Amino acid sequence: MDICLHLGAHRTGSTSLQVFMNANRKAFLQDRTTFWGPGRTRSGLFAGLIRDTRRLTPGDRATGQRSLGRIKMEMARAALNGNDRLIISEENILGTLSQNFGQCQLYPQAADRLARFAPAFGGQNLRIGLAIRSYEAHWASALAFGAKAGRALPTPQMLDRLTTQPRRWRDIIKDIAHIFPEAQIAVWTFEAWASQQPQQVCALTNRLLPRTISAPVQVNNASPNAAEIAAIARDCGDHALADALKSTIGRYQPFTQDQQHKLRQDYATDIDWLKAGSDGLATYYDPTGDTSGGSLDPRGSHHDQKRRLGRTRHERTARPLAG
């Protein structure tokens, strides 16, 4: 049975993908594909594993070991039930937004957290999916989402630290490849596929979807816009920020123009690295490539590079697309 592990990241359309999978659960089951989303993973299955790795107690470690056994048992049960593949979507495996903000870094515990899950997936035919997003939009969305949940609005000092933090999406990809060296890694962008769940599932599974799958769902769990953040600021007594935002239309964007420019440049460097082959670590589904075609065509830019650079480690082990 293929294991397809969707790691998010947060604020890249993961909730919409999970809603899409649940809405089409029967059709996927008929295609011998079963799905575990947060409703399953956060109901005890991953107990003890999704914890701050700096504060693990002996009890957390013991609970995590039991959860690893349960995960393997449930995967075996899914295979015995006739499934050809299992899709797991849980963005908190990489870390949480609270931890990102607490350390002002992009998933600083990713490698350690992934390592805790590694024993459950050892020996499996594993494919990992990761969506990425331009930093100024990713952090702004996460900050707005946090404010809606009661987190304090960012200070100028925090925004400066987020702008200069050293972690990049390519570091996350390298962490994944280090912990799961035999896994195939698929990467796509929020900007291209935020509302295109079929393409995301195609990239995640490396196969075409059955024709019984319905159209993409609408975007879910969107972050508050600027007007909503203005109302939150007013409720918190920050009338200066509320007044500054009240006439803003669209998304909340707390970063200055210079900060946004720097963050966009950082993201562009990541995209260039992915387009250049990502050191053979991942397959990038490039929406601008001439081979990235129809709504259910998961072919990516690596098909063009193969003619020039030869096959990557992941492509040598990848199975062909199912028609």
Side-chain angles (χ1 to χ4, degrees), residues 126-234:
L126 181 63
R127 187 171 173 87
I128 297 175
L130 178 73
I132 63 176
R133 186 176 185 179
S134 188
Y135 296 107
E136 85 288 350
H138 169 76
W139 288 120
S141 177
L143 289 165
F145 187 77
K148 183 178 179 180
R151 177 176 290 276
L153 290 165
T155 63
Q157 293 77 16
M158 182 181 189
L159 294 173
D160 183 64
R161 289 182 65 190
L162 292 175
T163 302
T164 58
Q165 68 89 31
R167 297 270 290 169
R168 302 286 179 264
W169 292 121
R170 59 186 178 274
D171 295 311
I172 308 302
I173 294 166
K174 290 175 182 178
D175 287 343
I176 296 168
H178 176 70
I179 301 299
F180 298 105
E182 299 304 319
Q184 301 172 42
I185 303 173
V187 180
W188 60 88
T189 67
F190 169 87
E191 291 81 9
W193 282 356
S195 60
Q196 300 298 320
Q197 288 76 42
Q199 283 94 326
Q200 295 177 43
V201 178
C202 284
L204 182 59
T205 61
N206 196 35
R207 68 190 303 273
L208 301 181
L209 297 187
R211 296 184 182 277
T212 52
I213 298 301
S214 66
V217 298
Q218 295 180 348
V219 174
N220 292 268
N221 209 26
S223 60
N225 59 27
E228 293 172 292
I229 294 297
I232 292 171
R234 187 171 293 105

Side-chain angles (χ1 to χ4, degrees), residues 220-270:
N220 292 268
N221 209 26
S223 60
N225 59 27
E228 293 172 292
I229 294 297
I232 292 171
R234 187 171 293 105
D235 290 342
C236 294
D238 192 341
H239 297 287
L241 178 59
D243 290 341
L245 290 174
K246 67 180 181 181
S247 60
T248 301
I249 299 174
R251 292 177 177 172
Y252 168 65
Q253 181 50 262
F255 293 100
T256 67
Q257 290 292 330
D258 287 343
Q259 288 171 332
Q260 291 179 58
H261 178 71
K262 195 266 183 186
L263 292 169
R264 291 188 185 113
Q265 284 187 318
D266 290 340
Y267 188 55
T269 301
D270 285 339

Side-chain angles (χ1 to χ4, degrees), residues 21-95:
M21 291 299 303
N22 281 320
N24 289 281
R25 185 177 292 273
K26 289 184 179 180
F28 277 113
L29 285 173
Q30 291 173 352
D31 190 48
R32 297 188 178 186
T33 300
T34 192
F35 173 65
W36 297 352
R40 183 77 181 275
T41 61
R42 300 178 192 178
S43 61
L45 186 62
F46 287 1
L49 294 172
I50 300 182
R51 303 283 292 175
D52 188 329
T53 57
R54 300 170 303 171
R55 298 181 175 86
L56 289 175
T57 66
D60 292 331
R61 296 183 188 278
T63 301
Q65 285 298 315
R66 290 193 293 270
S67 293
L68 291 173
R70 284 196 299 272
I71 293 168
K72 289 189 282 188
M73 181 180 68
E74 291 301 318
M75 289 193 299
R77 191 197 309 274
L80 287 173
N81 286 339
N83 291 291
D84 291 336
R85 66 202 60 81
L86 165 65
I87 296 177
I88 306 170
S89 180
E90 176 53 85
E91 57 269 44
N92 285 341
I93 291 176
L94 283 178

